């Protein structure tokens, strides 16, 4: 069964946040409506505001997003702070079965999509740059890359072939369940950029996946993990469903840190309309040039 986020995690997060801002304990969060309070109490599937965390309510007095501050000057614990039960899920059935039917929908609203696309346009290598390769991890029928963006190689890896076939940005695709096989089928130093859109919360073997991302990135290559508060609740990991947006940024930052070989991760809040549309966050890092 899923477990409620541990108090050591909250203490670590609170030490990292700006003065005057403190996270509520998991027990103070309102239970996500729809599953039944008694069951949720056992599983720890909780979220603020009935499952819709309000980014506006989390901002400290100085007006800066705490998501952007939580990864600054982090005093990381010596060991990976999460346990096996933190990666359990309400629905442990086969992910291949869950994703067997194509879903030609978007999982964040249009303003959040536009914000992500704008961010990509600022950080991606210029279109049609010789030798540049990108990997869209946990890809689907749309990647939210800038309109007309092209490279000789843009690979999509996802769970549904019908969706991947319809993604116009991809030059090739691979169907693979990372929760079964986190090994990425590419040589070392293959990609300049790896993206992942609102899917990091489904990874049950995140350290293995992040180690693989580090391996296949070129030195200086960038991994961009984006997320919101939208998800398939039954398939998201326990540590994610029992925490909020700020904690999520810290969790993804921890994946980068404990995978090794990455520069210190950076969090960016690109939410277009805090409190009025879907929030949107980025945690990114670059592969170190010297990993010896």
């Amino acid at each position: 069964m899923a477990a409620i986020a541990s108090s050591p995690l909250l203490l670590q997060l609170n030490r990292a946040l700006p003065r005057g801002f403190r996270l509520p304990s998991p027990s103070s969060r309102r239970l996500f409506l729809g599953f039944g309070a008694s069951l949720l109490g056992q599983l720890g599937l909780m979220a603020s505001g009935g499952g819709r965390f309000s980014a506006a309510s989390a901002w400290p007095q100085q007006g800066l997003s705490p998501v952007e501050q939580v990864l600054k000057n982090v005093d990381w614990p010596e060991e990976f702070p999460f346990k096996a039960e933190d990666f359990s899920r309400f629905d442990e059935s086969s992910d291949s079965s869950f994703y067997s039917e194509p879903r030609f929908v978007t999982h964040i609203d249009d303003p959040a999509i536009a914000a992500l696309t704008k961010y990509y346009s600022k950080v991606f290598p210029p279109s049609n740059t010789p030798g540049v390769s990108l990997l869209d991890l946990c890809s689907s029928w749309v990647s939210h890359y800038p309109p007309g963006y092209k490279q000789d190689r843009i690979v999509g890896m996802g769970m549904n072939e019908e969706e991947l076939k319809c993604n116009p940005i991809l030059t090739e695709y691979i169907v693979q369940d990372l929760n079964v096989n986190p090994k990425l089928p590419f040589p070392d130093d293959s990609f300049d950029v790896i993206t992942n859109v609102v899917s990091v919360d489904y990874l049950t073997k995140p350290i293995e996946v992040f180690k693989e991302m580090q391996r296949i990135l070129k030195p200086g290559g960038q991994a961009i993990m984006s997320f919101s508060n939208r998800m398939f609740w039954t398939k998201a990991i326990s540590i994610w469903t029992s925490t909020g947006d700020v904690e999520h940024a810290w969790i993804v930052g921890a994946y980068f840190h404990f995978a090794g070989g990455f520069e210190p991760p950076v969090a960016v809040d690109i939410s277009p309309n805090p409190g009025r549309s879907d929030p949107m966050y980025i945690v990114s890092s670059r592969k170190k040039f010297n990993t010896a």
Side-chain angles (χ1 to χ4, degrees), residues 136-152:
D136 189 26
L137 208 58
C138 304
S139 189
S140 178
W141 67 281
V142 61
S143 296
H144 307 309
Y145 288 9
Y149 189 80
K150 293 182 179 179
Q151 298 293 356
D152 288 339

Side-chain angles (χ1 to χ4, degrees), residues 90-168:
F90 180 78
D91 179 5
E92 294 287 7
S93 65
S94 167
D95 290 337
S96 295
S97 297
F98 183 82
Y99 294 104
S100 61
E101 294 295 325
R103 294 178 173 90
F104 294 105
V105 297
T106 54
H107 301 288
I108 47 178
D109 63 18
D110 289 343
I113 291 172
L116 179 60
T117 300
K118 182 179 179 180
Y119 177 86
Y120 282 159
S121 70
K122 294 179 178 179
V123 301
F124 276 7
S127 190
N128 293 308
T129 301
V132 165
S133 297
L134 285 80
L135 171 63
D136 189 26
L137 208 58
C138 304
S139 189
S140 178
W141 67 281
V142 61
S143 296
H144 307 309
Y145 288 9
Y149 189 80
K150 293 182 179 179
Q151 298 293 356
D152 288 339
R153 190 183 192 200
I154 301 179
V155 183
M157 176 179 284
M159 292 288 292
N160 187 280
E161 185 170 13
E162 293 303 313
E163 293 180 9
L164 294 168
K165 282 181 179 179
C166 294
N167 190 328

